[in-house]
Amino acid sequence: VSSEPEFIFPMLLFVFMISSSYEIVAPIIILPSSVLFFAFAGIVYKYQIVYVFLPRFETGGEFWYTLFPAVCVSIVSSQVLLFAYLLTRSWFTQAVALTPLPIIVYMFYQYTVEYYKKPSVVLSLEHVRTIDSLMSQSNDNGVSEKDLLVENFDPNEYQQPSLVSPPVTFDLSKIQDDTEPLVPRTVISVE
């Protein structure tokens, strides 16, 4: 098993899917072992990500858009496996009682996509802070969130500043030659 960060998350997702699926069949063995695994993995990988691994790239949270649907799919698959297990044991009332669970997970996924993923793709952090402060004020006035968002929408907010600002020009005549160098001349010596 590689200890590179890009292999950690798929491995943790795989362990989560296996443990959540087989907790139904052998809960006495799988539940404590999965809790111990994730407790130690949380401590170890948090330390490694913060202090050991050198980031070769920064995704800016883009990995969440891949990880969250995979976690939801693994939860639904474990619920379907539980449903099938209960049917094979002829426990029909328990199986019928579990039918809303995948629907609830799907509704939570849709809610999360609608209220968190879509705005996070198009809103800047500064604009989110402005909306948050306005929404805290509007809750007292009875204004709906949708009206507030439409009212305060700025179409120029999402443009790259370097593309809309004028080009930067430097006046080289203002640079003085008598300034001190950053490195003293005595330090630079060629022998």
Side-chain angles (χ1 to χ4, degrees):
V1 174
S2 175
S3 63
E4 294 296 317
E6 58 266 14
F7 294 108
I8 291 173
F9 294 116
M11 187 218 25
L12 290 176
L13 183 62
F14 180 70
V15 171
F16 175 75
M17 183 176 163
I18 295 296
S19 64
S20 64
S21 297
Y22 285 105
E23 282 175 358
I24 302 147
V25 180
I28 295 174
I29 298 169
I30 299 293
L31 186 61
S33 61
S34 64
V35 167
L36 282 174
F37 174 80
F38 282 108
F40 285 121
I43 293 168
V44 169
Y45 289 134
K46 187 185 300 184
Y47 178 83
Q48 285 184 344
I49 287 173
V50 171
Y51 296 111
V52 176
F53 295 134
L54 294 175
R56 288 179 281 176
F57 56 89
E58 177 60 46
T59 62
E62 289 289 324
F63 194 63
W64 174 254
Y65 304 128
T66 304
L67 188 66
F68 180 69
V71 168
C72 288
V73 166
S74 69
I75 291 172
V76 168
S77 67
S78 69
Q79 292 168 348
V80 168
L81 180 68
L82 175 61
F83 183 77
Y85 177 74
L86 293 176
L87 286 179
T88 59
R89 295 293 222 171
S90 299
W91 296 338
F92 298 111
T93 55
Q94 290 89 347
V96 170
L98 289 178
T99 53
L101 288 180
I103 297 167
I104 291 170
V105 171
Y106 179 73
M107 289 171 47
F108 175 71
Y109 173 75
Q110 290 296 337
Y111 172 81
T112 306
V113 166
E114 183 69 30
Y115 288 101
Y116 296 108
K117 180 182 177 184
K118 288 180 181 177
S120 71
V121 170
V122 295
L123 290 178
S124 66
L125 184 60
E126 183 178 342
H127 195 66
V128 169
R129 276 191 252 157
T130 305
I131 290 173
D132 190 36
S133 65
L134 289 173
M135 287 173 81
S136 64
Q137 295 169 1
S138 70
N139 289 341
D140 300 332
N141 301 334
V143 179
S144 71
E145 294 177 7
K146 184 178 180 183
D147 294 337
L148 186 65
L149 290 173
V150 170
E151 188 177 295
N152 293 308
F153 180 75
D154 182 13
N156 296 325
E157 183 75 33
Y158 311 112
Q159 295 179 358
Q160 177 68 19
S162 62
L163 297 176
V164 293
S165 62
V168 178
T169 58
F170 294 101
D171 187 9
L172 298 176
S173 64
K174 293 182 180 179
I175 298 176
Q176 298 176 359
D177 289 335
D178 60 342
T179 59
E180 285 291 317
L182 293 175
V183 179
R185 296 180 199 277
T186 58
V187 174
I188 303 172
S189 62
V190 179
E191 294 183 25

